[in-house]
Amino acid sequence: MAFNIFIPYFFIFISVFFTLSNSVTFNYPAVFNFGDSNSDTGGLIAGLGDELNSPHGQSFFKKPSGRFCDGRLIVDFLMDAMNLPFLNPYLEAIGAPVFKKGCNFAVAGSTIMPATANSVSPFSFKVQVAQFLRFKDRVNDIQTKSKKFDKYLPADEYFQKGLYMFDIGQNDLAGAFYSKSLDQILASIPTIMEEFGNEIKQLYDEGARNLWIHNTGPLGCLTQNVAKFGSDPSKLDEFGCVIGHNQAAKLFNLQFHALCKKLQGQYPDINVTYIDIYTVKSNLIANYSRYGFEQPIMACCGYGGGSLNYDSRVSCGQTKVIDGNNTATAKGCDDSTEYVSWDGIHYTESANQYVSSQILTGKFSDPPFSDRMPFLLNLKF
């Protein structure tokens, strides 16, 4: 990592933040998370019986953990800040998973809209909500019969007092660019919003009252999208990101924000917190060196070298035969803390840590909660 004058202040900030943030009480007894790979803690791997190879997990878990990352995800840092354990995936059946403090329904590749035959994940948002409804029903059924599983399952009141987190929508947009024009994608956003709102109503009817909703990040800055759609320099912005993808993300987020406002008005007894992930991640990409990173777009774990080190034919940790007889292996870089992108699609643990620290300042949420963390506001890089 490049050690410039900002680096010491960055690590002082991180150290102070994660020490002091634990003193802030969010008062959520449990967290129920829904989403895609940005917050999947092992759902896709368990659900499809697949596996992730090294170097996934190398920075924190020291082995693949089911996360598409070298270490922890944003959701992991948020759970830690709330003094809650990491969330076990709903689909994991082995190892007697404990769901006392919540459950993770997020699955990599999932979309808000119903899955199709070509979808990476069959576990769309609607399916995840249906899984939650079954989870809640089974928990209540078991607890009415016996108390011996209380240490594994959430108490009944946790379903109303708990926090419901959402980080989904990225795949609805990114996947659409392979078959649709920008105009068609923009025209589809209201339908996506309607689908999301319908499922939120289902959760509300089941007692959900505290919602924490992430918008989608700058899709045009993901290595995968730059490699596929950025060959024409005129389609890239000054940071090397694909303009069309970011335009779609911005419009998506405008409508997402409006939907959150609508939900708050429609259900006066719920608390909806909208988190502007786009602004946080865009700032990281634009000012990466300020925060101690050296590579804002190049993949740490990939194949091909060059400015992107990404080849869609060989995923991180895989070895494949390509171009006839050539064997290609997507290897990890020497120091993932220098990179924002882990595998061309997902962020490194270091980048996730930075994003989490910004989220928890409260400055990027609506309504903001920065007044609850005044010790953060005067810290400068």
Side-chain angles (χ1 to χ4, degrees):
M1 180 175 287
F3 286 90
N4 54 43
I5 62 173
F6 300 112
I7 299 305
Y9 297 100
F10 174 70
F11 284 108
I12 290 172
F13 169 82
I14 290 296
S15 177
V16 171
F17 169 72
F18 282 102
T19 298
L20 296 179
S21 66
N22 286 335
S23 67
V24 177
T25 302
F26 288 90
N27 293 319
Y28 299 119
V31 173
F32 304 100
N33 184 71
F34 304 81
D36 52 33
S37 57
N38 286 324
S39 60
D40 180 359
T41 55
L44 184 70
I45 301 307
L48 299 185
D50 207 345
E51 66 177 344
L52 286 178
N53 300 318
S54 297
H56 287 293
Q58 66 179 13
S59 297
F60 183 79
F61 301 99
K62 306 306 178 184
K63 62 180 181 179
S65 67
R67 294 161 173 80
F68 290 81
C69 183
D70 61 311
R72 290 162 289 183
L73 306 176
I74 292 171
V75 66
D76 294 318
F77 287 112
L78 296 182
M79 294 298 292
D80 199 39
M82 290 186 279
N83 279 327
L84 293 172
F86 294 162
L87 291 174
N88 287 313
Y90 170 76
L91 293 169
E92 182 58 79
I94 305 300
V98 177
F99 299 116
K100 180 71 175 179
K101 297 295 184 178
C103 184
N104 194 1
F105 300 90
V107 176
S110 295
T111 53
I112 293 175
M113 296 301 293
T116 67
N118 296 321
S119 296
V120 173
S121 164
F123 304 104
S124 66
F125 186 41
K126 185 179 182 69
V127 173
Q128 291 180 27
V129 171
Q131 290 173 332
F132 167 80
L133 299 181
R134 173 175 168 76
F135 175 82
K136 181 172 181 282
D137 183 65
R138 292 286 294 133
V139 167
N140 290 336
D141 182 56
I142 290 172
Q143 289 181 329
T144 57
K145 295 177 180 177
S146 173
K147 298 298 182 182
K148 66 180 181 179
F149 296 109
D150 282 0
K151 64 180 180 179
Y152 301 104
L153 302 175
D156 181 59
E157 64 268 21
Y158 287 10
F159 290 105
Q160 185 163 351
K161 294 179 180 179
L163 180 64
Y164 291 74
M165 296 178 65
F166 308 88
D167 192 330
I168 194 167
Q170 174 174 303
N171 295 317
D172 291 88
L173 298 181
F177 275 95
Y178 287 85
S179 60
K180 297 179 180 179
S181 68
L182 177 60
D183 288 343
Q184 289 174 319
I185 293 169
L186 298 183
S188 72
I189 293 176
T191 302
I192 299 173
M193 294 296 112
E194 181 180 10
E195 180 72 14
F196 186 85
N198 290 339
E199 297 311 313
I200 291 296
K201 182 181 185 304
Q202 288 257 40
L203 293 172
Y204 175 82
D205 290 342
E206 290 294 323
R209 292 298 181 269
N210 303 301
L211 311 184
W212 179 287
I213 301 174
H214 290 179
N215 70 11
T216 199
L219 305 180
C221 301
L222 296 178
T223 323
Q224 180 187 61
N225 293 329
V226 175
K228 176 67 177 179
F229 300 96
S231 57
D232 181 352
S234 67
K235 294 183 178 180
L236 301 177
D237 63 17
E238 67 269 34
F239 305 113
C241 303
V242 185
I243 295 172
H245 281 64
N246 283 351
Q247 286 178 337
K250 288 177 182 178
L251 182 60
F252 179 91
N253 290 338
L254 282 173
Q255 295 192 34
F256 215 178
H257 196 184
L259 175 61
C260 288
K261 291 288 192 181
K262 179 182 177 182
L263 291 171
Q264 186 68 70
Q266 189 173 357
Y267 309 111
D269 59 334
I270 67 172
N271 301 303
V272 180
T273 302
Y274 172 84
I275 309 295
D276 187 6
I277 294 291
Y278 186 97
T279 295
V280 175
K281 289 185 174 180
S282 293
N283 181 55
L284 174 57
I285 298 295
N287 302 289
Y288 63 93
S289 60
R290 182 184 182 192
Y291 306 119
F293 295 90
E294 294 186 6
Q295 299 294 342
I297 296 179
M298 178 189 289
C300 166
C301 185
Y303 170 78
S307 61
L308 297 178
N309 190 37
Y310 180 81
D311 190 316
S312 61
R313 297 171 295 178
V314 191
S315 299
C316 176
Q318 289 187 343
T319 297
K320 287 187 175 181
V321 175
I322 62 173
D323 299 328
N325 298 317
N326 296 324
T327 300
T329 300
K331 300 178 180 179
C333 58
D334 292 333
D335 185 358
S336 62
T337 64
E338 296 178 350
Y339 292 72
V340 171
S341 177
W342 167 240
D343 58 2
I345 304 173
H346 312 97
Y347 280 24
T348 60
E349 178 182 81
S350 294
N352 286 332
Q353 186 178 44
Y354 167 79
V355 173
S356 303
S357 73
Q358 295 302 290
I359 291 172
L360 286 169
T361 63
K363 296 185 293 183
F364 299 95
S365 68
D366 184 16
F369 55 88
S370 56
D371 59 322
R372 298 175 62 182
M373 299 185 183
F375 56 84
L376 291 177
L377 302 185
N378 295 323
L379 291 173
K380 304 293 183 183
F381 292 113

